[in-house]
Amino acid sequence: MTPESFLIITSLLKIVGILFIVILPMVSYAVYAERKVSAAIQDRLGPNRVGPAGLLQPIADMFKLLLKEDFTPRAANTFYYWLAPCLAVMPAIITIAVVPFGSTLFGVPMVIADVNVGILFVFAIASLGVYGIVIGGWASNSKYPFLGGIRSSAQMLSYELSLGLAVIPVFLLVGNLRLTSVVRYQIEHGWFIAPFIGDWTNPWKWLLTIPMIVSFIVFTIAIFAETNRLPFDLPEAEQELAGGYNTEYSSMKFSLYFLGEYAAMITGSAVIVTLFFGGWHLPGIPDGSHGWIFGLINIAVFFAKVAIIIFFFMWVRWTLPRFRYDQLMRLGWLFFFEIALVNIFVVAAIVPFIQ
Amino acid sequence: MAITVSRPKLNWRERLYLPAIVAGLAITFKHFKNLLLGRTKVTMQYPEQKWDGNLPDYYRGAPALVRDEDGRVRCVACQLCEFICPPRAIKIIPGEIDSTDRFAKVEKYPEAFDIDMIRCIFCGMCEEVCPEQAIFLRKDYAITGFTRADMVHHKEKLLEIGGVMHGVVLKWNKKK
């Protein structure tokens, strides 16, 4: 087998495997988990009728959505109305391509595309997600989706900035934008959320922890805003806008929006895990070159970390109320932007003492 | 007149907002944990668990016709319940009791007695107005059906729900 055909075959296997075996089931069960977590937080039981403990609920929901009438409002712009849900899903799924979800398995690196502009690719593609919402809101030709779309565009613009600035400290330390090398660096120097681990006596590492945690908080909050999760779900705003951009959507088009939202959440969590929680690394477990079983464990560790971050997303959603629009803007432009900016200089001042 | 509501003065800790978020997260996590550990009381799981045994005696469920100790349908088809029924759910067709019958002196009996359970509002006026104490509101509350026709309780169904009633006024007994 030539190296080219080997690359193509393994890449296809990875794409199919990660998309159909991991991401899509994870999305549908994230919806189930969301309902269970919200129920537990609100002292309820949640779905428990379909299958044992309601485990077949996502499948039942999917059939329900498939069988619903696929309605297009007469006033809508049909082309963009149909295009928008696809635009909402596509970026969320494509972004996962550059995230290393495992070390190696049988010598094949467990990342679909190990591009050297990793994080830039993530930001470039993830910010396309806003088009799905804006175009959907506009094409529906209805007031609530329109308001949702407008809110979404403004919100994305203001949080994109702090999102980008918040990760610069990470790349100041790593030295390049490749996400696999971010993971490599964290294996050697400790996770970015707690860089002092393994190097307990170095005071600079302890000092570095503060800006890294600030960076993590700003990044996480910006990811919340990027994925339209509460407390920043203003484009959707069930209570104010009756569902916002997806008000006019039904059937599979609606479920594509739903899928896109949860896929974006999973991708966002995967990026957080890669940047701050050491990716697939868990202290004490070697990488895939020591045997395929470790390769599988690394993948499992990565998705376990992602699941924990997703739980955090849900936990926050069912705790905090939604921000008011002016508060959201104020927070984005007057606080996170400045904090992230100052944070870069703080880290830059510390970096020379570490290397 | 416009009223200016004064905003509370927040100290720096409150303005930072993060301690409040952490406190909120702690509260919700406590609820989450308690439910997972089974310490939280949750709603009764209705179709599996029922509260039927605890319904009070005065519970107003589905109306039903009763028989007396002799097995006679108590209703004498006076149609008072049909007249009083606010949503007009009751329809009675009276019939004459044959002169050879043991209960000939009662004179009338309901040939048909239909209660439309879609219309019934469980007010209990039929029970109150009945001079014969023949109609009672029982404890059945889950009345379901696939069609409108299913939801009409005919005489047989009403008698089946009602059963036999003992120990109330039996004014026809001495005329037997």
PDB file of all heavy atoms in Angstrom, chain A residues 34 155 220-221 223-225 227-239 261 265 312-323:
ATOM      1  N   GLU A  34     -28.786  16.404  28.948  1.00  0.00           N
ATOM      2  CA  GLU A  34     -29.265  17.745  29.302  1.00  0.00           C
ATOM      3  C   GLU A  34     -30.598  17.645  30.058  1.00  0.00           C
ATOM      4  O   GLU A  34     -30.789  18.267  31.094  1.00  0.00           O
ATOM      5  CB  GLU A  34     -29.462  18.548  28.021  1.00  0.00           C
ATOM      6  CG  GLU A  34     -30.115  19.888  28.237  1.00  0.00           C
ATOM      7  CD  GLU A  34     -29.119  21.011  28.240  1.00  0.00           C
ATOM      8  OE1 GLU A  34     -28.493  21.211  27.206  1.00  0.00           O
ATOM      9  OE2 GLU A  34     -28.958  21.670  29.274  1.00  0.00           O
ATOM     10  N   GLN A 155     -23.610  39.459  19.111  1.00  0.00           N
ATOM     11  CA  GLN A 155     -23.013  38.684  20.205  1.00  0.00           C
ATOM     12  C   GLN A 155     -21.753  37.964  19.744  1.00  0.00           C
ATOM     13  O   GLN A 155     -20.722  37.994  20.416  1.00  0.00           O
ATOM     14  CB  GLN A 155     -24.049  37.682  20.700  1.00  0.00           C
ATOM     15  CG  GLN A 155     -23.521  36.753  21.763  1.00  0.00           C
ATOM     16  CD  GLN A 155     -24.588  35.791  22.215  1.00  0.00           C
ATOM     17  OE1 GLN A 155     -25.764  36.123  22.244  1.00  0.00           O
ATOM     18  NE2 GLN A 155     -24.205  34.603  22.567  1.00  0.00           N
ATOM     19  N   THR A 220     -13.631  30.047  28.394  1.00  0.00           N
ATOM     20  CA  THR A 220     -14.842  29.247  28.615  1.00  0.00           C
ATOM     21  C   THR A 220     -16.092  30.104  28.462  1.00  0.00           C
ATOM     22  O   THR A 220     -17.061  29.695  27.826  1.00  0.00           O
ATOM     23  CB  THR A 220     -14.800  28.624  30.019  1.00  0.00           C
ATOM     24  OG1 THR A 220     -13.551  27.991  30.200  1.00  0.00           O
ATOM     25  CG2 THR A 220     -15.900  27.614  30.187  1.00  0.00           C
ATOM     26  N   ILE A 221     -16.047  31.307  29.028  1.00  0.00           N
ATOM     27  CA  ILE A 221     -17.221  32.178  28.930  1.00  0.00           C
ATOM     28  C   ILE A 221     -17.474  32.562  27.476  1.00  0.00           C
ATOM     29  O   ILE A 221     -18.611  32.588  27.010  1.00  0.00           O
ATOM     30  CB  ILE A 221     -17.048  33.405  29.850  1.00  0.00           C
ATOM     31  CG1 ILE A 221     -17.106  32.959  31.304  1.00  0.00           C
ATOM     32  CG2 ILE A 221     -18.121  34.437  29.570  1.00  0.00           C
ATOM     33  CD1 ILE A 221     -16.714  34.017  32.289  1.00  0.00           C
ATOM     34  N   ILE A 223     -16.695  30.755  24.935  1.00  0.00           N
ATOM     35  CA  ILE A 223     -17.246  29.560  24.269  1.00  0.00           C
ATOM     36  C   ILE A 223     -18.747  29.442  24.570  1.00  0.00           C
ATOM     37  O   ILE A 223     -19.555  29.107  23.700  1.00  0.00           O
ATOM     38  CB  ILE A 223     -16.495  28.281  24.725  1.00  0.00           C
ATOM     39  CG1 ILE A 223     -15.111  28.201  24.061  1.00  0.00           C
ATOM     40  CG2 ILE A 223     -17.294  27.041  24.413  1.00  0.00           C
ATOM     41  CD1 ILE A 223     -15.111  27.687  22.643  1.00  0.00           C
ATOM     42  N   PHE A 224     -19.117  29.773  25.803  1.00  0.00           N
ATOM     43  CA  PHE A 224     -20.541  29.790  26.150  1.00  0.00           C
ATOM     44  C   PHE A 224     -21.296  30.708  25.203  1.00  0.00           C
ATOM     45  O   PHE A 224     -22.362  30.384  24.692  1.00  0.00           O
ATOM     46  CB  PHE A 224     -20.738  30.289  27.586  1.00  0.00           C
ATOM     47  CG  PHE A 224     -20.689  29.217  28.620  1.00  0.00           C
ATOM     48  CD1 PHE A 224     -19.539  28.953  29.320  1.00  0.00           C
ATOM     49  CD2 PHE A 224     -21.821  28.491  28.905  1.00  0.00           C
ATOM     50  CE1 PHE A 224     -19.494  27.963  30.266  1.00  0.00           C
ATOM     51  CE2 PHE A 224     -21.794  27.500  29.857  1.00  0.00           C
ATOM     52  CZ  PHE A 224     -20.622  27.237  30.546  1.00  0.00           C
ATOM     53  N   ALA A 225     -20.721  31.897  24.966  1.00  0.00           N
ATOM     54  CA  ALA A 225     -21.385  32.865  24.092  1.00  0.00           C
ATOM     55  C   ALA A 225     -21.374  32.379  22.652  1.00  0.00           C
ATOM     56  O   ALA A 225     -22.352  32.551  21.927  1.00  0.00           O
ATOM     57  CB  ALA A 225     -20.697  34.218  24.204  1.00  0.00           C
ATOM     58  N   THR A 227     -21.434  29.310  21.554  1.00  0.00           N
ATOM     59  CA  THR A 227     -22.334  28.181  21.312  1.00  0.00           C
ATOM     60  C   THR A 227     -23.766  28.509  21.701  1.00  0.00           C
ATOM     61  O   THR A 227     -24.602  27.618  21.748  1.00  0.00           O
ATOM     62  CB  THR A 227     -21.859  26.947  22.085  1.00  0.00           C
ATOM     63  OG1 THR A 227     -21.698  27.321  23.455  1.00  0.00           O
ATOM     64  CG2 THR A 227     -20.554  26.432  21.588  1.00  0.00           C
ATOM     65  N   ASN A 228     -24.048  29.766  21.996  1.00  0.00           N
ATOM     66  CA  ASN A 228     -25.414  30.186  22.349  1.00  0.00           C
ATOM     67  C   ASN A 228     -25.979  29.433  23.535  1.00  0.00           C
ATOM     68  O   ASN A 228     -27.152  29.068  23.553  1.00  0.00           O
ATOM     69  CB  ASN A 228     -26.378  29.984  21.180  1.00  0.00           C
ATOM     70  CG  ASN A 228     -26.016  30.845  20.030  1.00  0.00           C
ATOM     71  OD1 ASN A 228     -25.602  31.985  20.223  1.00  0.00           O
ATOM     72  ND2 ASN A 228     -26.135  30.314  18.844  1.00  0.00           N
ATOM     73  N   ARG A 229     -25.149  29.172  24.500  1.00  0.00           N
ATOM     74  CA  ARG A 229     -25.664  28.485  25.683  1.00  0.00           C
ATOM     75  C   ARG A 229     -26.009  29.517  26.733  1.00  0.00           C
ATOM     76  O   ARG A 229     -25.390  30.582  26.804  1.00  0.00           O
ATOM     77  CB  ARG A 229     -24.586  27.558  26.255  1.00  0.00           C
ATOM     78  CG  ARG A 229     -24.232  26.440  25.336  1.00  0.00           C
ATOM     79  CD  ARG A 229     -25.265  25.398  25.300  1.00  0.00           C
ATOM     80  NE  ARG A 229     -25.453  24.782  26.594  1.00  0.00           N
ATOM     81  CZ  ARG A 229     -26.328  23.822  26.837  1.00  0.00           C
ATOM     82  NH1 ARG A 229     -27.090  23.369  25.891  1.00  0.00           N
ATOM     83  NH2 ARG A 229     -26.441  23.311  28.036  1.00  0.00           N
ATOM     84  N   LEU A 230     -26.975  29.180  27.571  1.00  0.00           N
ATOM     85  CA  LEU A 230     -27.240  30.056  28.702  1.00  0.00           C
ATOM     86  C   LEU A 230     -25.961  30.201  29.518  1.00  0.00           C
ATOM     87  O   LEU A 230     -25.225  29.249  29.606  1.00  0.00           O
ATOM     88  CB  LEU A 230     -28.343  29.440  29.570  1.00  0.00           C
ATOM     89  CG  LEU A 230     -29.653  30.231  29.551  1.00  0.00           C
ATOM     90  CD1 LEU A 230     -30.757  29.264  29.296  1.00  0.00           C
ATOM     91  CD2 LEU A 230     -29.868  30.970  30.795  1.00  0.00           C
ATOM     92  N   PRO A 231     -25.662  31.343  30.115  1.00  0.00           N
ATOM     93  CA  PRO A 231     -26.453  32.569  30.219  1.00  0.00           C
ATOM     94  C   PRO A 231     -26.378  33.493  29.014  1.00  0.00           C
ATOM     95  O   PRO A 231     -26.773  34.631  29.132  1.00  0.00           O
ATOM     96  CB  PRO A 231     -25.833  33.229  31.448  1.00  0.00           C
ATOM     97  CG  PRO A 231     -24.432  32.774  31.452  1.00  0.00           C
ATOM     98  CD  PRO A 231     -24.438  31.403  30.923  1.00  0.00           C
ATOM     99  N   PHE A 232     -25.884  33.030  27.872  1.00  0.00           N
ATOM    100  CA  PHE A 232     -25.773  33.913  26.704  1.00  0.00           C
ATOM    101  C   PHE A 232     -26.630  33.415  25.550  1.00  0.00           C
ATOM    102  O   PHE A 232     -26.230  33.518  24.411  1.00  0.00           O
ATOM    103  CB  PHE A 232     -24.316  33.996  26.240  1.00  0.00           C
ATOM    104  CG  PHE A 232     -23.370  34.449  27.305  1.00  0.00           C
ATOM    105  CD1 PHE A 232     -22.403  33.599  27.804  1.00  0.00           C
ATOM    106  CD2 PHE A 232     -23.446  35.736  27.794  1.00  0.00           C
ATOM    107  CE1 PHE A 232     -21.529  34.011  28.784  1.00  0.00           C
ATOM    108  CE2 PHE A 232     -22.569  36.156  28.772  1.00  0.00           C
ATOM    109  CZ  PHE A 232     -21.620  35.291  29.275  1.00  0.00           C
ATOM    110  N   ASP A 233     -27.780  32.834  25.820  1.00  0.00           N
ATOM    111  CA  ASP A 233     -28.553  32.297  24.700  1.00  0.00           C
ATOM    112  C   ASP A 233     -29.530  33.329  24.147  1.00  0.00           C
ATOM    113  O   ASP A 233     -30.656  33.021  23.813  1.00  0.00           O
ATOM    114  CB  ASP A 233     -29.277  31.016  25.104  1.00  0.00           C
ATOM    115  CG  ASP A 233     -30.407  31.268  26.061  1.00  0.00           C
ATOM    116  OD1 ASP A 233     -30.328  32.277  26.769  1.00  0.00           O
ATOM    117  OD2 ASP A 233     -31.347  30.468  26.097  1.00  0.00           O
ATOM    118  N   LEU A 234     -29.059  34.551  24.041  1.00  0.00           N
ATOM    119  CA  LEU A 234     -29.939  35.629  23.569  1.00  0.00           C
ATOM    120  C   LEU A 234     -30.532  35.407  22.180  1.00  0.00           C
ATOM    121  O   LEU A 234     -31.672  35.774  21.960  1.00  0.00           O
ATOM    122  CB  LEU A 234     -29.185  36.954  23.618  1.00  0.00           C
ATOM    123  CG  LEU A 234     -29.094  37.457  25.060  1.00  0.00           C
ATOM    124  CD1 LEU A 234     -27.735  37.989  25.337  1.00  0.00           C
ATOM    125  CD2 LEU A 234     -30.149  38.486  25.302  1.00  0.00           C
ATOM    126  N   PRO A 235     -29.780  34.822  21.214  1.00  0.00           N
ATOM    127  CA  PRO A 235     -30.413  34.603  19.920  1.00  0.00           C
ATOM    128  C   PRO A 235     -31.611  33.660  20.017  1.00  0.00           C
ATOM    129  O   PRO A 235     -32.525  33.748  19.224  1.00  0.00           O
ATOM    130  CB  PRO A 235     -29.307  33.972  19.079  1.00  0.00           C
ATOM    131  CG  PRO A 235     -28.057  34.344  19.756  1.00  0.00           C
ATOM    132  CD  PRO A 235     -28.373  34.435  21.195  1.00  0.00           C
ATOM    133  N   GLU A 236     -31.577  32.756  20.975  1.00  0.00           N
ATOM    134  CA  GLU A 236     -32.651  31.782  21.086  1.00  0.00           C
ATOM    135  C   GLU A 236     -33.737  32.295  22.018  1.00  0.00           C
ATOM    136  O   GLU A 236     -34.905  32.305  21.664  1.00  0.00           O
ATOM    137  CB  GLU A 236     -32.081  30.462  21.588  1.00  0.00           C
ATOM    138  CG  GLU A 236     -32.903  29.285  21.164  1.00  0.00           C
ATOM    139  CD  GLU A 236     -32.186  27.993  21.467  1.00  0.00           C
ATOM    140  OE1 GLU A 236     -30.959  27.965  21.350  1.00  0.00           O
ATOM    141  OE2 GLU A 236     -32.865  27.032  21.825  1.00  0.00           O
ATOM    142  N   ALA A 237     -33.346  32.723  23.208  1.00  0.00           N
ATOM    143  CA  ALA A 237     -34.216  33.393  24.168  1.00  0.00           C
ATOM    144  C   ALA A 237     -35.670  32.928  24.128  1.00  0.00           C
ATOM    145  O   ALA A 237     -36.572  33.657  23.739  1.00  0.00           O
ATOM    146  CB  ALA A 237     -34.130  34.896  23.966  1.00  0.00           C
ATOM    147  N   GLU A 238     -35.858  31.695  24.502  1.00  0.00           N
ATOM    148  CA  GLU A 238     -37.197  31.084  24.544  1.00  0.00           C
ATOM    149  C   GLU A 238     -38.280  32.028  25.068  1.00  0.00           C
ATOM    150  O   GLU A 238     -39.338  32.185  24.452  1.00  0.00           O
ATOM    151  CB  GLU A 238     -37.119  29.871  25.471  1.00  0.00           C
ATOM    152  CG  GLU A 238     -38.304  28.960  25.387  1.00  0.00           C
ATOM    153  CD  GLU A 238     -38.027  27.782  24.483  1.00  0.00           C
ATOM    154  OE1 GLU A 238     -36.953  27.191  24.612  1.00  0.00           O
ATOM    155  OE2 GLU A 238     -38.879  27.500  23.641  1.00  0.00           O
ATOM    156  N   GLN A 239     -38.024  32.680  26.173  1.00  0.00           N
ATOM    157  CA  GLN A 239     -39.077  33.453  26.823  1.00  0.00           C
ATOM    158  C   GLN A 239     -39.331  34.791  26.140  1.00  0.00           C
ATOM    159  O   GLN A 239     -40.449  35.266  26.115  1.00  0.00           O
ATOM    160  CB  GLN A 239     -38.720  33.698  28.296  1.00  0.00           C
ATOM    161  CG  GLN A 239     -38.654  32.450  29.138  1.00  0.00           C
ATOM    162  CD  GLN A 239     -37.328  31.733  29.029  1.00  0.00           C
ATOM    163  OE1 GLN A 239     -36.454  32.150  28.280  1.00  0.00           O
ATOM    164  NE2 GLN A 239     -37.170  30.651  29.751  1.00  0.00           N
ATOM    165  N   GLU A 261     -26.300  22.989  17.556  1.00  0.00           N
ATOM    166  CA  GLU A 261     -26.021  23.609  18.850  1.00  0.00           C
ATOM    167  C   GLU A 261     -25.238  22.649  19.743  1.00  0.00           C
ATOM    168  O   GLU A 261     -24.230  23.028  20.343  1.00  0.00           O
ATOM    169  CB  GLU A 261     -27.339  23.991  19.520  1.00  0.00           C
ATOM    170  CG  GLU A 261     -27.127  24.852  20.751  1.00  0.00           C
ATOM    171  CD  GLU A 261     -28.383  24.957  21.599  1.00  0.00           C
ATOM    172  OE1 GLU A 261     -29.479  25.005  21.021  1.00  0.00           O
ATOM    173  OE2 GLU A 261     -28.254  24.970  22.832  1.00  0.00           O
ATOM    174  N   MET A 265     -21.337  22.590  21.005  1.00  0.00           N
ATOM    175  CA  MET A 265     -20.998  22.468  22.421  1.00  0.00           C
ATOM    176  C   MET A 265     -19.910  21.405  22.612  1.00  0.00           C
ATOM    177  O   MET A 265     -18.949  21.614  23.361  1.00  0.00           O
ATOM    178  CB  MET A 265     -22.246  22.080  23.199  1.00  0.00           C
ATOM    179  CG  MET A 265     -22.145  22.279  24.662  1.00  0.00           C
ATOM    180  SD  MET A 265     -23.779  22.148  25.350  1.00  0.00           S
ATOM    181  CE  MET A 265     -23.847  20.440  25.724  1.00  0.00           C
ATOM    182  N   PHE A 312     -20.505  20.502  32.819  1.00  0.00           N
ATOM    183  CA  PHE A 312     -20.358  21.848  33.363  1.00  0.00           C
ATOM    184  C   PHE A 312     -21.227  22.839  32.581  1.00  0.00           C
ATOM    185  O   PHE A 312     -21.910  23.676  33.174  1.00  0.00           O
ATOM    186  CB  PHE A 312     -18.881  22.262  33.324  1.00  0.00           C
ATOM    187  CG  PHE A 312     -18.632  23.644  33.841  1.00  0.00           C
ATOM    188  CD1 PHE A 312     -18.761  23.921  35.185  1.00  0.00           C
ATOM    189  CD2 PHE A 312     -18.295  24.667  32.979  1.00  0.00           C
ATOM    190  CE1 PHE A 312     -18.551  25.200  35.656  1.00  0.00           C
ATOM    191  CE2 PHE A 312     -18.081  25.945  33.435  1.00  0.00           C
ATOM    192  CZ  PHE A 312     -18.216  26.216  34.784  1.00  0.00           C
ATOM    193  N   PHE A 313     -21.234  22.697  31.254  1.00  0.00           N
ATOM    194  CA  PHE A 313     -22.077  23.550  30.412  1.00  0.00           C
ATOM    195  C   PHE A 313     -23.537  23.446  30.865  1.00  0.00           C
ATOM    196  O   PHE A 313     -24.237  24.444  30.993  1.00  0.00           O
ATOM    197  CB  PHE A 313     -21.985  23.090  28.951  1.00  0.00           C
ATOM    198  CG  PHE A 313     -20.910  23.768  28.153  1.00  0.00           C
ATOM    199  CD1 PHE A 313     -19.577  23.531  28.411  1.00  0.00           C
ATOM    200  CD2 PHE A 313     -21.243  24.623  27.134  1.00  0.00           C
ATOM    201  CE1 PHE A 313     -18.591  24.138  27.669  1.00  0.00           C
ATOM    202  CE2 PHE A 313     -20.263  25.239  26.381  1.00  0.00           C
ATOM    203  CZ  PHE A 313     -18.930  25.001  26.648  1.00  0.00           C
ATOM    204  N   MET A 314     -23.980  22.212  31.076  1.00  0.00           N
ATOM    205  CA  MET A 314     -25.382  21.999  31.446  1.00  0.00           C
ATOM    206  C   MET A 314     -25.672  22.536  32.837  1.00  0.00           C
ATOM    207  O   MET A 314     -26.700  23.159  33.078  1.00  0.00           O
ATOM    208  CB  MET A 314     -25.700  20.509  31.396  1.00  0.00           C
ATOM    209  CG  MET A 314     -25.751  19.996  29.997  1.00  0.00           C
ATOM    210  SD  MET A 314     -25.736  18.224  29.975  1.00  0.00           S
ATOM    211  CE  MET A 314     -25.702  17.971  28.206  1.00  0.00           C
ATOM    212  N   TRP A 315     -24.719  22.279  33.708  1.00  0.00           N
ATOM    213  CA  TRP A 315     -24.858  22.728  35.096  1.00  0.00           C
ATOM    214  C   TRP A 315     -25.033  24.244  35.126  1.00  0.00           C
ATOM    215  O   TRP A 315     -25.927  24.763  35.807  1.00  0.00           O
ATOM    216  CB  TRP A 315     -23.604  22.283  35.827  1.00  0.00           C
ATOM    217  CG  TRP A 315     -23.498  22.568  37.263  1.00  0.00           C
ATOM    218  CD1 TRP A 315     -24.510  22.882  38.128  1.00  0.00           C
ATOM    219  CD2 TRP A 315     -22.296  22.538  38.027  1.00  0.00           C
ATOM    220  NE1 TRP A 315     -24.008  23.053  39.372  1.00  0.00           N
ATOM    221  CE2 TRP A 315     -22.663  22.850  39.339  1.00  0.00           C
ATOM    222  CE3 TRP A 315     -20.972  22.268  37.735  1.00  0.00           C
ATOM    223  CZ2 TRP A 315     -21.716  22.903  40.368  1.00  0.00           C
ATOM    224  CZ3 TRP A 315     -20.048  22.320  38.749  1.00  0.00           C
ATOM    225  CH2 TRP A 315     -20.424  22.632  40.055  1.00  0.00           C
ATOM    226  N   VAL A 316     -24.194  24.952  34.371  1.00  0.00           N
ATOM    227  CA  VAL A 316     -24.302  26.411  34.319  1.00  0.00           C
ATOM    228  C   VAL A 316     -25.629  26.828  33.720  1.00  0.00           C
ATOM    229  O   VAL A 316     -26.293  27.732  34.213  1.00  0.00           O
ATOM    230  CB  VAL A 316     -23.133  27.008  33.515  1.00  0.00           C
ATOM    231  CG1 VAL A 316     -23.372  28.463  33.206  1.00  0.00           C
ATOM    232  CG2 VAL A 316     -21.838  26.843  34.269  1.00  0.00           C
ATOM    233  N   ARG A 317     -26.059  26.101  32.660  1.00  0.00           N
ATOM    234  CA  ARG A 317     -27.300  26.481  32.007  1.00  0.00           C
ATOM    235  C   ARG A 317     -28.470  26.451  32.982  1.00  0.00           C
ATOM    236  O   ARG A 317     -29.340  27.302  32.941  1.00  0.00           O
ATOM    237  CB  ARG A 317     -27.589  25.540  30.839  1.00  0.00           C
ATOM    238  CG  ARG A 317     -28.949  25.810  30.275  1.00  0.00           C
ATOM    239  CD  ARG A 317     -29.207  25.137  28.985  1.00  0.00           C
ATOM    240  NE  ARG A 317     -30.576  25.461  28.580  1.00  0.00           N
ATOM    241  CZ  ARG A 317     -31.164  24.976  27.531  1.00  0.00           C
ATOM    242  NH1 ARG A 317     -30.531  24.158  26.752  1.00  0.00           N
ATOM    243  NH2 ARG A 317     -32.401  25.301  27.248  1.00  0.00           N
ATOM    244  N   TRP A 318     -28.501  25.441  33.843  1.00  0.00           N
ATOM    245  CA  TRP A 318     -29.645  25.308  34.729  1.00  0.00           C
ATOM    246  C   TRP A 318     -29.427  26.026  36.051  1.00  0.00           C
ATOM    247  O   TRP A 318     -30.172  25.805  36.996  1.00  0.00           O
ATOM    248  CB  TRP A 318     -29.996  23.837  34.938  1.00  0.00           C
ATOM    249  CG  TRP A 318     -30.393  23.278  33.637  1.00  0.00           C
ATOM    250  CD1 TRP A 318     -29.628  22.508  32.813  1.00  0.00           C
ATOM    251  CD2 TRP A 318     -31.609  23.504  32.938  1.00  0.00           C
ATOM    252  NE1 TRP A 318     -30.294  22.249  31.656  1.00  0.00           N
ATOM    253  CE2 TRP A 318     -31.511  22.838  31.709  1.00  0.00           C
ATOM    254  CE3 TRP A 318     -32.788  24.224  33.227  1.00  0.00           C
ATOM    255  CZ2 TRP A 318     -32.530  22.860  30.771  1.00  0.00           C
ATOM    256  CZ3 TRP A 318     -33.789  24.235  32.300  1.00  0.00           C
ATOM    257  CH2 TRP A 318     -33.665  23.561  31.088  1.00  0.00           C
ATOM    258  N   THR A 319     -28.376  26.851  36.129  1.00  0.00           N
ATOM    259  CA  THR A 319     -28.155  27.638  37.338  1.00  0.00           C
ATOM    260  C   THR A 319     -28.385  29.117  37.095  1.00  0.00           C
ATOM    261  O   THR A 319     -29.056  29.773  37.881  1.00  0.00           O
ATOM    262  CB  THR A 319     -26.710  27.437  37.839  1.00  0.00           C
ATOM    263  OG1 THR A 319     -26.512  26.050  38.054  1.00  0.00           O
ATOM    264  CG2 THR A 319     -26.473  28.182  39.124  1.00  0.00           C
ATOM    265  N   LEU A 320     -27.834  29.625  35.995  1.00  0.00           N
ATOM    266  CA  LEU A 320     -27.816  31.073  35.813  1.00  0.00           C
ATOM    267  C   LEU A 320     -28.967  31.555  34.951  1.00  0.00           C
ATOM    268  O   LEU A 320     -29.358  30.880  34.007  1.00  0.00           O
ATOM    269  CB  LEU A 320     -26.501  31.491  35.155  1.00  0.00           C
ATOM    270  CG  LEU A 320     -25.246  31.173  35.937  1.00  0.00           C
ATOM    271  CD1 LEU A 320     -24.044  31.644  35.175  1.00  0.00           C
ATOM    272  CD2 LEU A 320     -25.288  31.814  37.295  1.00  0.00           C
ATOM    273  N   PRO A 321     -29.489  32.747  35.268  1.00  0.00           N
ATOM    274  CA  PRO A 321     -30.473  33.359  34.376  1.00  0.00           C
ATOM    275  C   PRO A 321     -29.783  33.993  33.183  1.00  0.00           C
ATOM    276  O   PRO A 321     -28.567  34.186  33.196  1.00  0.00           O
ATOM    277  CB  PRO A 321     -31.133  34.418  35.259  1.00  0.00           C
ATOM    278  CG  PRO A 321     -30.081  34.789  36.222  1.00  0.00           C
ATOM    279  CD  PRO A 321     -29.244  33.568  36.445  1.00  0.00           C
ATOM    280  N   ARG A 322     -30.554  34.350  32.164  1.00  0.00           N
ATOM    281  CA  ARG A 322     -29.994  34.933  30.961  1.00  0.00           C
ATOM    282  C   ARG A 322     -29.572  36.385  31.226  1.00  0.00           C
ATOM    283  O   ARG A 322     -30.214  37.096  31.980  1.00  0.00           O
ATOM    284  CB  ARG A 322     -31.043  34.900  29.866  1.00  0.00           C
ATOM    285  CG  ARG A 322     -30.572  35.426  28.546  1.00  0.00           C
ATOM    286  CD  ARG A 322     -31.686  35.353  27.530  1.00  0.00           C
ATOM    287  NE  ARG A 322     -32.189  33.997  27.455  1.00  0.00           N
ATOM    288  CZ  ARG A 322     -33.465  33.676  27.596  1.00  0.00           C
ATOM    289  NH1 ARG A 322     -34.358  34.589  27.795  1.00  0.00           N
ATOM    290  NH2 ARG A 322     -33.840  32.428  27.527  1.00  0.00           N
ATOM    291  N   PHE A 323     -28.473  36.772  30.590  1.00  0.00           N
ATOM    292  CA  PHE A 323     -28.041  38.158  30.693  1.00  0.00           C
ATOM    293  C   PHE A 323     -28.956  39.050  29.863  1.00  0.00           C
ATOM    294  O   PHE A 323     -29.521  38.606  28.872  1.00  0.00           O
ATOM    295  CB  PHE A 323     -26.614  38.307  30.179  1.00  0.00           C
ATOM    296  CG  PHE A 323     -25.582  37.963  31.202  1.00  0.00           C
ATOM    297  CD1 PHE A 323     -25.113  36.679  31.327  1.00  0.00           C
ATOM    298  CD2 PHE A 323     -25.109  38.929  32.043  1.00  0.00           C
ATOM    299  CE1 PHE A 323     -24.178  36.367  32.277  1.00  0.00           C
ATOM    300  CE2 PHE A 323     -24.162  38.626  32.997  1.00  0.00           C
ATOM    301  CZ  PHE A 323     -23.704  37.341  33.122  1.00  0.00           C
TER     302      PHE A 323
END
